[in-house]
Amino acid sequence: IDQNNFVIIIGKHLSFAFLSQQFVSLGCHTAFNLDGGGSINMFYKSNTNSLQTVYKVSRKLSEALYFVEK
């Protein structure tokens, strides 16, 4: 992964071993684990990827990780 590029994996019940394998296979050198519960949502440009539609879980979101393109 080039500098200033990011890989984001969202899912429910993903093990650390699985996530580690995925990030290494994609060439990542550093990874952070954030809460991956049923309320996770990812918005990219005009696309939405939400576990709420898959698992029918709905909670208010209290935190966000926000990237801005320069």
Side-chain angles (χ1 to χ4, degrees):
I1 304 299
D2 294 330
Q3 186 176 4
N4 297 324
N5 285 290
F6 301 92
V7 173
I8 299 172
I9 299 174
I10 67 168
K12 191 171 181 181
H13 304 298
L14 301 178
S15 71
F16 288 126
F18 174 81
L19 289 169
S20 297
Q21 290 173 341
Q22 296 302 306
F23 282 117
V24 168
S25 72
L26 294 168
C28 297
H29 298 281
T30 304
F32 296 94
N33 181 45
L34 304 173
D35 177 27
S39 63
I40 192 167
N41 287 275
M42 182 169 65
F43 301 95
Y44 178 71
K45 297 189 178 180
S46 61
N47 298 312
T48 302
N49 186 341
S50 173
L51 291 180
Q52 291 180 1
T53 57
V54 175
Y55 294 102
K56 308 296 185 218
V57 175
S58 181
R59 277 193 293 183
K60 291 182 179 182
L61 300 177
S62 61
E63 300 172 346
L65 180 61
Y66 185 79
F67 297 91
V68 177
E69 186 175 1
K70 288 186 175 184

Coordinates of all heavy atoms in Angstrom, one line a residue:
I1 N 0.9 -1.2 0.0 CA 0.0 0.0 0.0 C 0.9 1.2 0.0 O 1.8 1.3 0.8 CB -0.9 0.0 1.2 CG1 -1.8 -1.3 1.3 CG2 -1.8 1.2 1.3 CD1 -2.7 -1.5 0.1
D2 N 0.7 2.1 -0.9 CA 1.4 3.4 -1.0 C 1.2 4.2 0.2 O 0.1 4.2 0.9 CB 1.1 4.1 -2.3 CG 1.5 3.4 -3.5 OD1 2.5 2.6 -3.5 OD2 0.9 3.6 -4.6
Q3 N 2.1 5.1 0.5 CA 2.0 6.1 1.6 C 0.7 6.9 1.3 O 0.4 7.3 0.2 CB 3.2 7.0 1.7 CG 3.2 7.9 2.8 CD 4.5 8.7 2.9 OE1 5.3 8.6 2.1 NE2 4.6 9.5 4.0
N4 N 0.0 7.2 2.4 CA -1.2 8.0 2.4 C -2.4 7.3 1.7 O -3.3 8.0 1.2 CB -1.0 9.4 1.8 CG 0.0 10.2 2.6 OD1 0.0 10.1 3.8 ND2 0.8 11.0 2.0
N5 N -2.3 6.0 1.6 CA -3.5 5.2 1.1 C -3.9 4.3 2.3 O -3.2 4.0 3.1 CB -3.0 4.3 -0.1 CG -2.9 5.2 -1.3 OD1 -3.9 5.6 -1.9 ND2 -1.7 5.3 -1.8
F6 N -5.2 4.0 2.3 CA -5.8 3.3 3.4 C -6.6 2.1 2.9 O -7.2 2.1 1.8 CB -6.7 4.2 4.2 CG -6.0 5.4 4.7 CD1 -6.0 6.6 4.0 CD2 -5.4 5.4 5.9 CE1 -5.4 7.7 4.4 CE2 -4.8 6.5 6.4 CZ -4.8 7.7 5.7
V7 N -6.6 1.0 3.7 CA -7.4 -0.2 3.5 C -8.3 -0.2 4.7 O -7.9 -0.2 5.8 CB -6.5 -1.4 3.4 CG1 -7.4 -2.7 3.4 CG2 -5.6 -1.4 2.2
I8 N -9.6 -0.4 4.4 CA -10.6 -0.5 5.5 C -11.4 -1.7 5.3 O -11.9 -2.0 4.2 CB -11.5 0.8 5.5 CG1 -10.7 2.0 5.7 CG2 -12.6 0.6 6.6 CD1 -11.6 3.3 5.5
I9 N -11.4 -2.6 6.3 CA -12.2 -3.8 6.3 C -13.3 -3.7 7.3 O -13.0 -3.4 8.5 CB -11.3 -5.0 6.6 CG1 -10.2 -5.2 5.5 CG2 -12.2 -6.3 6.6 CD1 -9.2 -6.2 5.8
I10 N -14.5 -3.8 6.9 CA -15.6 -3.8 7.9 C -16.3 -5.2 7.9 O -16.4 -5.8 6.9 CB -16.6 -2.7 7.7 CG1 -17.4 -2.9 6.4 CG2 -15.9 -1.3 7.7 CD1 -18.6 -1.9 6.3
G11 N -16.8 -5.6 9.0 CA -17.5 -6.8 9.1 C -17.8 -7.1 10.5 O -17.4 -6.4 11.5
K12 N -18.6 -8.2 10.7 CA -19.0 -8.5 12.1 C -18.4 -9.9 12.4 O -18.4 -10.8 11.6 CB -20.5 -8.6 12.1 CG -21.1 -8.7 13.5 CD -22.6 -8.6 13.4 CE -23.2 -8.7 14.8 NZ -24.7 -8.6 14.7
H13 N -17.9 -10.0 13.6 CA -17.3 -11.3 14.1 C -16.1 -11.7 13.3 O -15.9 -12.9 13.0 CB -18.3 -12.4 14.2 CG -19.6 -12.1 14.9 ND1 -19.5 -11.8 16.3 CD2 -20.8 -12.0 14.6 CE1 -20.8 -11.6 16.7 NE2 -21.6 -11.7 15.7
L14 N -15.2 -10.7 13.0 CA -14.0 -11.1 12.3 C -12.9 -11.2 13.3 O -12.7 -10.4 14.2 CB -13.6 -9.9 11.3 CG -14.6 -9.6 10.2 CD1 -14.1 -8.5 9.4 CD2 -14.9 -10.9 9.4
S15 N -12.1 -12.3 13.3 CA -11.1 -12.6 14.2 C -9.8 -11.8 13.9 O -9.6 -11.3 12.8 CB -10.7 -14.1 14.3 OG -10.0 -14.4 13.1
F16 N -9.0 -11.6 15.0 CA -7.8 -10.8 14.8 C -6.9 -11.6 13.8 O -6.2 -11.0 13.0 CB -7.0 -10.6 16.1 CG -7.7 -9.6 17.0 CD1 -8.0 -10.0 18.3 CD2 -8.0 -8.3 16.5 CE1 -8.6 -9.0 19.1 CE2 -8.6 -7.4 17.4 CZ -8.9 -7.8 18.7
A17 N -6.9 -12.9 13.9 CA -6.1 -13.7 12.9 C -6.5 -13.5 11.5 O -5.7 -13.3 10.6 CB -6.2 -15.2 13.3
F18 N -7.8 -13.5 11.2 CA -8.3 -13.3 9.9 C -8.0 -11.9 9.4 O -7.5 -11.7 8.3 CB -9.8 -13.5 9.9 CG -10.5 -13.1 8.6 CD1 -10.4 -14.0 7.5 CD2 -11.1 -11.9 8.4 CE1 -11.0 -13.6 6.3 CE2 -11.6 -11.5 7.2 CZ -11.6 -12.4 6.1
L19 N -8.2 -10.9 10.3 CA -7.9 -9.5 9.9 C -6.4 -9.3 9.6 O -6.0 -8.7 8.6 CB -8.4 -8.5 11.0 CG -9.9 -8.4 11.1 CD1 -10.2 -7.6 12.3 CD2 -10.4 -7.7 9.8
S20 N -5.6 -9.9 10.4 CA -4.1 -9.8 10.2 C -3.7 -10.4 8.9 O -2.9 -9.8 8.1 CB -3.4 -10.6 11.4 OG -3.6 -10.0 12.6
Q21 N -4.2 -11.6 8.6 CA -3.9 -12.2 7.3 C -4.4 -11.3 6.1 O -3.7 -11.2 5.1 CB -4.6 -13.6 7.2 CG -4.0 -14.6 8.1 CD -4.9 -15.9 8.1 OE1 -6.0 -15.9 7.7 NE2 -4.3 -17.0 8.5
Q22 N -5.5 -10.7 6.2 CA -6.1 -9.9 5.2 C -5.2 -8.7 4.9 O -4.8 -8.3 3.8 CB -7.5 -9.5 5.4 CG -8.5 -10.6 5.5 CD -8.5 -11.4 4.2 OE1 -8.7 -10.9 3.1 NE2 -8.3 -12.7 4.3
F23 N -4.9 -8.0 6.0 CA -4.1 -6.8 5.9 C -2.7 -7.1 5.4 O -2.1 -6.4 4.5 CB -4.0 -6.0 7.2 CG -5.2 -5.2 7.5 CD1 -6.0 -5.5 8.6 CD2 -5.6 -4.2 6.7 CE1 -7.2 -4.8 8.9 CE2 -6.8 -3.5 7.0 CZ -7.6 -3.8 8.1
V24 N -2.0 -8.2 5.9 CA -0.7 -8.5 5.4 C -0.8 -8.9 3.9 O 0.1 -8.5 3.1 CB -0.1 -9.7 6.2 CG1 1.1 -10.3 5.5 CG2 0.2 -9.2 7.6
S25 N -1.8 -9.6 3.5 CA -1.9 -10.0 2.1 C -2.1 -8.8 1.1 O -1.8 -8.9 0.0 CB -3.0 -11.0 1.9 OG -4.3 -10.4 2.0
L26 N -2.6 -7.7 1.7 CA -2.8 -6.5 0.9 C -1.6 -5.6 1.0 O -1.6 -4.5 0.4 CB -4.1 -5.8 1.4 CG -5.4 -6.6 1.1 CD1 -6.5 -5.9 1.9 CD2 -5.7 -6.6 -0.4
G27 N -0.6 -6.0 1.7 CA 0.6 -5.2 1.8 C 0.6 -4.1 2.8 O 1.5 -3.2 2.8
C28 N -0.3 -4.2 3.8 CA -0.3 -3.2 4.9 C 0.8 -3.4 5.9 O 1.1 -4.6 6.2 CB -1.7 -3.2 5.6 SG -3.0 -2.9 4.5
H29 N 1.4 -2.3 6.4 CA 2.4 -2.4 7.4 C 1.9 -2.0 8.8 O 2.5 -2.4 9.8 CB 3.6 -1.5 7.0 CG 4.2 -1.9 5.7 ND1 5.1 -2.9 5.6 CD2 4.1 -1.4 4.5 CE1 5.5 -3.0 4.4 NE2 4.9 -2.1 3.7
T30 N 0.8 -1.3 8.9 CA 0.3 -0.8 10.1 C -1.2 -1.0 10.0 O -1.8 -0.7 9.0 CB 0.6 0.7 10.4 OG1 2.0 0.8 10.4 CG2 0.1 1.1 11.7
A31 N -1.8 -1.4 11.1 CA -3.3 -1.6 11.2 C -3.8 -1.2 12.5 O -3.1 -1.3 13.5 CB -3.7 -3.0 10.9
F32 N -5.1 -0.7 12.6 CA -5.7 -0.3 13.8 C -7.1 -1.1 13.8 O -7.8 -1.2 12.8 CB -6.1 1.2 13.8 CG -4.8 2.1 13.8 CD1 -4.3 2.5 12.7 CD2 -4.2 2.4 15.0 CE1 -3.2 3.3 12.7 CE2 -3.1 3.2 15.0 CZ -2.6 3.6 13.9
N33 N -7.4 -1.6 15.0 CA -8.7 -2.2 15.2 C -9.6 -1.3 15.9 O -9.4 -0.8 17.0 CB -8.5 -3.5 16.0 CG -9.8 -4.2 16.2 OD1 -10.5 -4.4 15.3 ND2 -10.1 -4.7 17.4
L34 N -10.7 -1.0 15.3 CA -11.8 -0.1 15.8 C -13.0 -1.0 16.1 O -13.1 -2.1 15.6 CB -12.1 1.0 14.9 CG -11.0 1.9 14.5 CD1 -11.4 2.9 13.4 CD2 -10.4 2.6 15.7
D35 N -13.9 -0.5 16.8 CA -15.1 -1.3 17.1 C -15.8 -1.7 15.8 O -16.2 -0.9 15.0 CB -16.1 -0.5 18.0 CG -17.4 -1.2 18.3 OD1 -17.4 -2.4 18.3 OD2 -18.4 -0.5 18.5
G36 N -16.0 -3.0 15.6 CA -16.6 -3.5 14.4 C -18.0 -4.0 14.7 O -18.4 -5.0 14.1
G37 N -18.7 -3.4 15.6 CA -20.1 -3.9 15.9 C -21.1 -3.7 14.8 O -20.8 -3.2 13.7
G38 N -22.3 -4.1 15.1 CA -23.4 -4.0 14.1 C -23.7 -2.6 13.7 O -24.5 -2.5 12.7
S39 N -23.2 -1.6 14.3 CA -23.6 -0.2 13.9 C -22.6 0.4 12.9 O -22.8 1.5 12.5 CB -23.7 0.7 15.1 OG -22.4 0.8 15.8
I40 N -21.6 -0.4 12.5 CA -20.6 0.1 11.6 C -21.2 0.5 10.3 O -22.0 -0.2 9.7 CB -19.4 -0.8 11.5 CG1 -18.2 -0.2 10.8 CG2 -19.8 -2.1 10.8 CD1 -17.0 -0.9 10.9
N41 N -20.8 1.6 9.8 CA -21.2 2.1 8.5 C -19.9 2.7 7.8 O -19.1 3.2 8.4 CB -22.2 3.3 8.6 CG -23.5 2.8 9.0 OD1 -24.3 2.4 8.2 ND2 -23.8 2.8 10.3
M42 N -19.9 2.5 6.5 CA -18.8 3.1 5.7 C -19.4 3.9 4.5 O -20.2 3.3 3.8 CB -17.8 2.1 5.1 CG -16.7 2.7 4.4 SD -15.3 1.6 4.0 CE -16.1 0.5 2.8
F43 N -19.1 5.2 4.5 CA -19.5 6.0 3.4 C -18.3 6.4 2.6 O -17.3 6.9 3.1 CB -20.2 7.3 3.9 CG -21.4 7.0 4.8 CD1 -21.3 6.9 6.2 CD2 -22.6 6.7 4.2 CE1 -22.3 6.6 7.0 CE2 -23.7 6.4 5.0 CZ -23.6 6.4 6.4
Y44 N -18.3 6.2 1.3 CA -17.2 6.6 0.4 C -17.8 7.2 -0.8 O -18.5 6.6 -1.6 CB -16.4 5.4 0.0 CG -15.3 5.7 -0.9 CD1 -14.2 6.4 -0.5 CD2 -15.3 5.4 -2.3 CE1 -13.1 6.8 -1.3 CE2 -14.3 5.7 -3.1 CZ -13.2 6.4 -2.7 OH -12.2 6.8 -3.5
K45 N -17.5 8.5 -1.0 CA -18.1 9.3 -2.0 C -19.6 9.2 -1.9 O -20.2 9.5 -0.9 CB -17.5 9.0 -3.4 CG -16.0 9.3 -3.4 CD -15.4 9.1 -4.8 CE -14.0 9.5 -4.7 NZ -13.3 9.4 -6.0
S46 N -20.3 8.6 -2.9 CA -21.8 8.5 -2.8 C -22.2 7.0 -2.5 O -23.4 6.7 -2.5 CB -22.4 9.0 -4.1 OG -22.0 8.2 -5.1
N47 N -21.3 6.2 -2.1 CA -21.6 4.8 -1.8 C -21.6 4.5 -0.3 O -20.9 5.1 0.4 CB -20.5 3.8 -2.5 CG -20.5 4.0 -4.0 OD1 -21.5 3.9 -4.6 ND2 -19.3 4.1 -4.5
T48 N -22.6 3.6 0.1 CA -22.7 3.3 1.5 C -22.6 1.8 1.6 O -23.1 1.0 0.9 CB -24.1 3.7 2.0 OG1 -24.3 5.1 1.8 CG2 -24.3 3.4 3.5
N49 N -21.8 1.4 2.7 CA -21.7 0.0 3.0 C -22.1 -0.1 4.5 O -21.4 0.4 5.3 CB -20.3 -0.6 2.8 CG -20.2 -2.0 3.0 OD1 -21.0 -2.6 3.6 ND2 -19.1 -2.6 2.4
S50 N -23.2 -0.8 4.8 CA -23.7 -0.8 6.1 C -24.1 -2.2 6.6 O -24.8 -2.9 5.9 CB -24.9 0.1 6.3 OG -25.5 0.0 7.5
L51 N -23.6 -2.6 7.8 CA -24.1 -3.8 8.3 C -25.5 -3.8 8.9 O -26.1 -4.8 9.1 CB -23.1 -4.3 9.4 CG -21.7 -4.7 9.0 CD1 -20.9 -5.1 10.2 CD2 -21.7 -5.8 8.0
Q52 N -26.0 -2.6 9.0 CA -27.4 -2.4 9.5 C -28.3 -3.0 8.5 O -29.3 -3.6 9.0 CB -27.7 -0.9 9.7 CG -26.9 -0.3 10.9 CD -27.3 1.1 11.1 OE1 -28.1 1.7 10.4 NE2 -26.7 1.8 12.1
T53 N -28.1 -2.9 7.2 CA -29.0 -3.5 6.3 C -28.9 -5.0 6.2 O -29.9 -5.7 5.9 CB -28.7 -3.0 4.9 OG1 -27.4 -3.2 4.5 CG2 -29.0 -1.5 4.8
V54 N -27.7 -5.6 6.6 CA -27.5 -7.0 6.6 C -28.1 -7.7 7.8 O -28.8 -8.7 7.8 CB -26.0 -7.4 6.4 CG1 -25.8 -8.9 6.5 CG2 -25.5 -6.8 5.1
Y55 N -27.7 -7.1 9.0 CA -28.1 -7.7 10.3 C -29.3 -7.1 10.9 O -29.7 -7.5 12.0 CB -26.9 -7.7 11.2 CG -25.8 -8.5 10.8 CD1 -24.6 -7.9 10.1 CD2 -25.8 -9.9 10.9 CE1 -23.6 -8.7 9.7 CE2 -24.7 -10.7 10.5 CZ -23.6 -10.1 9.9 OH -22.6 -10.9 9.5
K56 N -29.9 -6.1 10.3 CA -31.1 -5.4 10.8 C -30.8 -4.8 12.2 O -31.7 -4.9 13.1 CB -32.3 -6.4 10.9 CG -32.6 -7.0 9.6 CD -33.0 -6.1 8.5 CE -33.4 -6.8 7.2 NZ -33.0 -6.2 6.0
V57 N -29.6 -4.3 12.4 CA -29.2 -3.7 13.7 C -29.2 -2.2 13.5 O -28.8 -1.7 12.5 CB -27.8 -4.1 14.1 CG1 -27.4 -3.4 15.3 CG2 -27.8 -5.6 14.3
S58 N -29.8 -1.5 14.4 CA -29.8 0.0 14.3 C -29.5 0.6 15.6 O -30.1 0.4 16.6 CB -31.2 0.4 13.8 OG -31.2 1.8 13.7
R59 N -28.4 1.4 15.6 CA -28.0 2.2 16.7 C -27.5 3.6 16.3 O -27.1 3.7 15.1 CB -26.8 1.5 17.4 CG -27.1 0.5 18.4 CD -25.9 0.1 19.2 NE -24.9 -0.5 18.4 CZ -23.7 -0.9 18.9 NH1 -23.5 -0.8 20.2 NH2 -22.8 -1.4 18.2
K60 N -27.6 4.5 17.1 CA -27.1 5.8 16.8 C -25.5 5.7 16.8 O -25.0 5.0 17.6 CB -27.5 6.9 17.8 CG -29.0 7.2 17.8 CD -29.3 8.3 18.8 CE -30.8 8.6 18.7 NZ -31.2 9.6 19.6
L61 N -24.9 6.4 15.9 CA -23.5 6.4 15.8 C -22.9 7.6 16.6 O -23.3 8.7 16.4 CB -23.0 6.6 14.3 CG -23.5 5.4 13.4 CD1 -23.0 5.7 12.0 CD2 -23.0 4.1 13.9
S62 N -22.0 7.3 17.5 CA -21.5 8.3 18.3 C -20.0 8.7 18.0 O -19.5 9.7 18.5 CB -21.5 7.9 19.8 OG -20.7 6.7 20.0
E63 N -19.4 8.0 17.1 CA -18.0 8.3 16.7 C -17.9 8.1 15.2 O -18.6 7.4 14.6 CB -17.1 7.3 17.4 CG -17.1 7.4 18.9 CD -16.3 6.3 19.6 OE1 -16.0 5.3 18.9 OE2 -16.1 6.4 20.8
A64 N -16.8 8.8 14.7 CA -16.6 8.7 13.3 C -15.1 8.8 13.0 O -14.4 9.5 13.7 CB -17.3 9.8 12.5
L65 N -14.6 8.2 12.0 CA -13.3 8.3 11.5 C -13.5 8.9 10.1 O -14.2 8.3 9.2 CB -12.6 7.0 11.4 CG -11.2 6.9 10.9 CD1 -10.3 7.8 11.8 CD2 -10.7 5.5 10.8
Y66 N -12.9 10.1 9.9 CA -13.2 10.9 8.7 C -11.9 11.2 7.9 O -10.9 11.7 8.5 CB -13.9 12.2 9.2 CG -14.4 13.1 8.1 CD1 -15.5 12.8 7.4 CD2 -13.6 14.2 7.7 CE1 -16.0 13.7 6.4 CE2 -14.1 15.1 6.7 CZ -15.3 14.8 6.1 OH -15.7 15.7 5.1
F67 N -11.9 10.9 6.7 CA -10.7 11.2 5.8 C -11.1 12.3 4.8 O -12.2 12.2 4.3 CB -10.3 9.9 5.0 CG -9.8 8.8 5.9 CD1 -10.7 7.8 6.3 CD2 -8.5 8.7 6.3 CE1 -10.3 6.8 7.1 CE2 -8.1 7.6 7.0 CZ -9.0 6.7 7.5
V68 N -10.2 13.2 4.6 CA -10.4 14.3 3.7 C -9.3 14.2 2.6 O -8.2 14.1 2.9 CB -10.3 15.7 4.4 CG1 -10.5 16.8 3.4 CG2 -11.4 15.7 5.5
E69 N -9.8 14.2 1.3 CA -8.9 14.2 0.2 C -8.4 15.7 -0.1 O -9.2 16.6 -0.2 CB -9.6 13.7 -1.0 CG -8.6 13.5 -2.2 CD -9.3 12.8 -3.4 OE1 -10.5 12.5 -3.3 OE2 -8.7 12.6 -4.4
K70 N -7.1 15.9 -0.2 CA -6.6 17.2 -0.4 C -6.5 17.4 -1.9 O -6.3 16.6 -2.7 CB -5.2 17.4 0.2 CG -5.2 17.4 1.7 CD -3.9 17.7 2.2 CE -3.9 18.0 3.7 NZ -2.6 18.3 4.2

